[in-house]
Amino acid sequence: MAEEKDETTLKFPFPFKPYSIQEEFMTALYSVLDEGKIGIFESPTGTGKSLSLICGALTWLRDFEEKKKLEAAQLLEDRLPQQWQSQDLQLSSVGSKESKSKSSGGELDWITEFVQKKAERDLVDKLKDEELRRKKREERLEQMRNNVHLKYALKRKREDIDTACLLQICKQEVTSEQASNTDLLDKEDEGFILADYESDDEKKSKDSGLSDEDDLEEEHVTKIYYCSRTHSQLAQFIHEVKKSPFGKEIRLVALGSRQNLCVNEEVRCLKSVQLINDRCLEMQRNKSDRKGSGDAETSKRKRKSRVTCPFYSHEQMQSLRDEVLVEVKDIEQLVSLGKEMKACPYYASRYAIPAAQLVVMPYQTLLHSSTRRASGIKLKGQVLVIDEAHNLIDTITAIHSYKVTGSQLCCAHSQLSQYLERYRSRLKAKNLMYIKQILYILVNLLQVLGGKVGQNPNMQKIFQGGTDLQSINDFLFRAQFDNINLFKVQHYYVKSMLSQKLFGFVEKYHDSASKPFSVQNQKESKTAALGNFLQSLDEKSSGQVKLHEQEETLEKEQSVMASPMMHIEGFLFALTSANKDGRVVIQRQGTVSQSSLKFLLLNPAVHFAEVVKECRAVVIAGGTMQPVADFKDQLLFTSGVSADRLAEFSCGHVIPPENILPIILCRGPSGQQLEFTFQKREKPQLLDECGRVLVNLCKVVPGGIVCFFPSYDYENVVYRHWEKTGLLTQLEAKKKIFQEPKKTSMVEQVLSEYSRCIQSSKTPGLTTGALLFSVVGGKMSEGINFSDDLGRCVVMVGMPFPNVNSPELKEKMAYLDKTMSKIDGTSPGKVLLENLCMKAVNQSIGRAIRHREDYASIVLLDHRYTQPRILSKLPGWIRGQTRTEVSFGPALGTIGKFFRDRKSLGDAIVSPEKPILLNDPELKKIGDKLHKSVAQVVLRYQVQRGVVVIPKSFNQGRMKQNMAIFDFALTNEEMKTINGLNKSIRYVTLEQLQDHPKYPFHDEY
């Protein structure tokens, strides 16, 4: 196998000649997948990580499928002759073996041989079936790719189906109007009533809904699951797949939430994800009920409000499934196609999973086991790639941590009590028992917070506030429901679909919440109390709030209060975890509504272990994975991964070493030591020194400077101090100041203004760019691209350690100290603090260098960065270039020289009013496509024209780059594009040759 891998290193399909580090990346990736290992891959932004992942992994998948086909064909070839031979000799052999075994008195060997031959025949039959299914699938998809008439036939069929559906709806409306009001009311309530719950075993519930999905189930082929943090990152990845050599042939499906994929406008208009999910499930139940109701009398009494989704048609979704597999589509294209085909993209994409070779999805879909199962994802024997995995541990912890507030507990108790009061006579004994158990649990949870049911939580004051942490067992004893089997309650929640039915009940009677509470209204409706209680929960008890904060709070409350039982269900599920793996945080403050209970997951490995165990291979990749000790100690080794199954790969950056200048600054201009500890960071002398550092940097750094502070509060402290002392005025004299907004909706606007300011400052004037104040872990520390002039310098003020007084962090540190051994004499809890700090630093400073031609300086303002243990946690490509400056003067001189050198090397010899060819966007686009610099593209252009080029460079690194132009060629279209850039301007006019007859040399060569 090693020989095969050596050969494949030179055979990775790639859209252009890859960098050497990309070839190394793909070779290491291929090895990890082939040997079934767990790989941690680090490749800085700008090195083509996504394309390397795509081409490396899909090359392995192609080779694996070919190898599997050959092995199956060989096995069939070997077994079939034996099978025929065994059938011919079976009768004679059985008689002789039987007599021989009986005479010897030994075991009946012919039975053992018969079983073995049967197993072989079964294996052959299985391989035949797999091959037959594969051929049918490929023929169907190929037919759809090439047969346009088939697509038109499917479209006409969909139109016929639409017409039939419209007629059916009209008939239902007519029959519904004929039904009596009493019958309508009774039928409405049938949808909310819990089905009979007869036992606690794991048999399938009658009301589980999606039974028709079994018709679409098929065996899963070997595939690669790829997941990342956001939908925008997934869209970018899919775009890279399209550009790759595999873009035409790969079967890719993109998974998303209902919020992203729903095409039913009645459902899409709902505000929260929970509301969208609940309405979708309700519509499916309605459709299932319609199929189940056979008699005409029942169908006549169908209520009008029990609508079904017109896009949830299995035949139409099968057609959409095949369209998804035929050609690579991102989420937006999938939604557009779903609207056109009148089919649900959410379920069609799920039906496409078994036949897909590459499945793309967000973190939450894969890392949450119940969501994974509900989506039809089967990891057994498959490959998993987790990209942008620097915050993987935090993500797993957040997904499996649940928080419920006093308002939610009160609201859920009120909703369930009203539900029980209305339907008590129609519920079976088992349902009544579990509902009463849940009500009892809700009452006790409220008592833990110091509240009572039946009263407005906004009006219930908490006189003894504080935060307590308890183990799961201790909390259950304190809440006094340790005698209740929560596993059975969990099973009941799932099988009875209590939360969904309760949501439907509340949604129907929520209109009464808009009516003012009165005795008359209470008499008119049994659910008026519920409505008025819900209305009271939306009102603020006291205090004035800023308008935008009030709007955000109301939106959160509405989404949370719409289905509070969902959140409580998750919290109760979490309490079934092992006692050592989690803690319960009890926070009491102000009022009961502001108080909360939170389950804190301490051991994320318990949820990741299943993933690691099932997958053939797992790849954890990111731009900045340092420090990797957390991944190995807290996630992988604890999940049962052995050291020999773990592989690590880290590559440098594609930028030349001279394009980056990381400096650790120990002292400021006046000699003040820079140490921004929590105890010292607000001292006026230190704040003044920090301001003087920035003022001096603004004088020598062109373009934009991004300055990161540890928190929003500290940024405000610094900003107000500089306003008082006049340092802010000095900064504004050189660069316009921008601040990171707290509202997400304002980020784009601030970035646009920041960018425009930098672009406009290129013309001669007083200001030389812009200064952006950002926050570590804020909205601009991840995912924002500060390339080129947007981020010529990144300043990190202090070390952003997390709040060590946080009860949750304290508990996590204590857990690690208890369960892990010391690392180089340092406690695991302290190592955790340092790792959290440096992960945040690495993410922030990585905003600057974004492509091969970029350059920037990184300034770390704190002498503590010089500690070897801290310095080792920086990314390798930064750590190797980092300088430590004890005094400020030499540091500023080094930074000034760095930017002067970059300017002399990067800028053409041209007056300001003339265009700079190396900044032309068309040339940059060609360079990015070819993975070459703009200068290399221009040099290659001249060579292909037959012009002898003599570059002016004297820098050794630049000279090597100038020579690296013979491993690629420009296409005719690219040559035409560059020809069109001619502005008839000479960069070197050679005034000494003004007497020459051809001066100023504008003639064509």
Side-chain angles (χ1 to χ4, degrees), residues 38-41 386 389 392 608 618-622 625 631 635-636:
I38 311 296
I40 301 176
F41 284 73
I386 305 175
L392 180 61
F608 197 64
V618 178
V619 175
I620 302 171
M625 297 296 290
F631 295 101
L635 206 58
L636 299 178

Side-chain angles (χ1 to χ4, degrees), residues 233-249:
Q233 289 171 340
L234 295 175
Q236 185 178 356
F237 178 81
I238 294 171
H239 179 66
E240 292 290 332
V241 173
K242 289 181 180 178
K243 292 195 307 182
S244 76
F246 299 91
K248 298 292 184 184
E249 61 189 48

Side-chain angles (χ1 to χ4, degrees), residues 103-150:
S103 62
S104 62
E107 184 184 355
L108 298 178
D109 293 336
W110 68 270
I111 297 179
T112 305
E113 187 175 347
F114 176 80
V115 171
Q116 290 176 347
K117 290 188 179 298
K118 184 178 184 304
E120 291 175 359
R121 287 197 300 272
D122 292 342
L123 176 61
V124 170
D125 291 340
K126 182 183 178 182
L127 291 173
K128 284 181 181 178
D129 290 341
E130 288 180 358
E131 184 67 14
L132 184 62
R133 280 197 298 269
R134 183 185 64 80
K135 286 182 177 179
K136 282 184 177 181
R137 179 176 62 245
E138 290 179 355
E139 288 173 2
R140 185 179 75 245
L141 297 179
E142 191 63 29
Q143 189 179 19
M144 290 190 67
R145 283 192 188 98
N146 302 322
N147 195 341
V148 180
H149 298 292
L150 178 62

Side-chain angles (χ1 to χ4, degrees), residues 586-746:
I586 306 167
Q587 190 172 39
R588 290 173 295 184
Q589 56 183 10
T591 62
V592 170
S593 64
Q594 296 172 331
S595 303
S596 63
L597 301 170
K598 181 179 179 180
F599 174 80
L600 174 65
L601 179 68
L602 296 177
N603 182 16
V606 295
H607 296 284
F608 197 64
E610 183 182 355
V611 173
V612 172
K613 183 180 178 181
E614 290 190 348
C615 288
R616 172 196 174 92
V618 178
V619 175
I620 302 171
T624 50
M625 297 296 290
Q626 293 293 336
V628 297
D630 281 356
F631 295 101
K632 293 190 288 187
D633 296 335
Q634 293 186 44
L635 206 58
L636 299 178
F637 293 152
T638 319
S639 298
V641 177
S642 58
D644 59 344
R645 197 188 172 196
L646 188 62
E648 291 183 55
F649 176 85
S650 180
C651 65
H653 213 295
V654 293
I655 61 167
E658 62 268 19
N659 276 23
I660 183 173
L661 179 64
I663 287 183
I664 299 173
L665 204 54
C666 299
R667 295 184 181 274
S670 66
Q672 172 87 25
Q673 188 180 51
L674 299 176
E675 184 179 342
F676 293 86
T677 59
F678 186 78
Q679 294 78 14
K680 298 179 180 179
R681 67 183 188 180
E682 293 188 17
K683 289 184 176 181
Q685 300 91 335
L686 191 57
L687 296 176
D688 290 340
E689 195 75 342
C690 179
R692 285 190 286 268
V693 170
L694 281 180
V695 168
N696 282 279
L697 287 176
C698 288
K699 293 176 181 178
V700 298
V701 177
I705 297 178
V706 184
C707 181
F708 284 100
F709 293 93
S711 67
Y712 285 105
D713 290 339
Y714 187 62
E715 183 208 347
N716 290 331
V717 169
V718 174
Y719 193 89
R720 288 196 302 269
H721 180 81
W722 288 350
E723 272 185 323
K724 292 177 184 177
T725 60
L727 277 168
L728 204 62
T729 306
Q730 295 181 45
L731 289 170
E732 289 173 332
K734 297 301 294 181
K735 294 185 184 292
K736 187 174 180 180
I737 296 176
F738 295 86
Q739 287 182 279
E740 177 182 317
K742 289 187 178 181
K743 285 190 68 176
T744 306
S745 58
M746 296 289 292

Side-chain angles (χ1 to χ4, degrees), residues 268-445:
R268 283 176 62 89
C269 66
L270 299 174
K271 292 183 179 180
S272 73
V273 178
Q274 191 62 61
L275 289 172
I276 292 172
N277 290 340
D278 292 344
R279 179 60 62 83
C280 175
L281 293 172
E282 182 192 13
M283 287 182 164
Q284 288 178 51
R285 291 197 301 275
N286 294 343
K287 186 157 191 169
S288 178
D289 290 346
R290 284 186 177 180
K291 288 181 180 179
S293 58
D295 58 286
E297 186 63 29
T298 306
S299 63
K300 279 183 182 180
R301 296 191 303 175
K302 283 285 180 188
R303 61 182 178 88
K304 286 174 66 177
S305 61
R306 295 190 70 193
V307 294
T308 60
C309 182
F311 298 92
Y312 191 75
S313 165
H314 291 284
E315 189 170 3
Q316 291 160 245
M317 289 189 293
Q318 278 180 310
S319 300
L320 180 56
R321 173 199 65 184
D322 291 342
E323 289 284 353
V324 168
L325 295 172
V326 164
E327 185 181 3
V328 174
K329 295 176 180 64
D330 58 25
I331 294 289
E332 292 181 359
Q333 292 171 322
L334 182 56
V335 169
S336 299
L337 191 60
K339 291 178 180 178
E340 178 189 334
M341 297 181 67
K342 301 291 195 316
C344 175
Y346 177 76
Y347 284 104
S349 60
R350 288 172 58 182
Y351 297 156
I353 292 175
Q357 296 167 302
L358 180 57
V359 182
V360 179
M361 75 199 91
Y363 275 175
Q364 289 77 2
T365 305
L366 182 122
L367 296 176
H368 195 269
S369 58
S370 59
T371 306
R372 189 166 66 239
R373 286 192 294 270
S375 299
I377 296 170
K378 296 181 179 179
L379 297 178
K380 187 69 175 177
Q382 309 292 13
V383 171
L384 172 62
V385 177
I386 305 175
D387 202 1
E388 299 298 330
H390 57 271
N391 59 351
L392 180 61
I393 296 175
D394 296 335
T395 302
I396 296 174
T397 301
I399 289 174
H400 296 91
S401 296
Y402 299 89
K403 181 179 179 180
V404 291
T405 64
S407 293
Q408 288 175 292
L409 292 170
C410 286
C411 185
H413 186 275
S414 176
Q415 291 176 359
L416 191 57
S417 298
Q418 295 289 339
Y419 178 90
L420 179 61
E421 181 183 352
R422 184 173 182 86
Y423 302 120
R424 183 187 297 271
S425 61
R426 304 180 67 175
L427 294 172
K428 297 293 184 180
K430 208 83 172 182
N431 283 319
L432 290 172
M433 181 192 77
Y434 277 108
I435 289 176
K436 288 180 178 179
Q437 277 190 356
I438 294 170
L439 286 171
Y440 175 78
I441 290 172
L442 294 176
V443 170
N444 287 21
L445 290 176

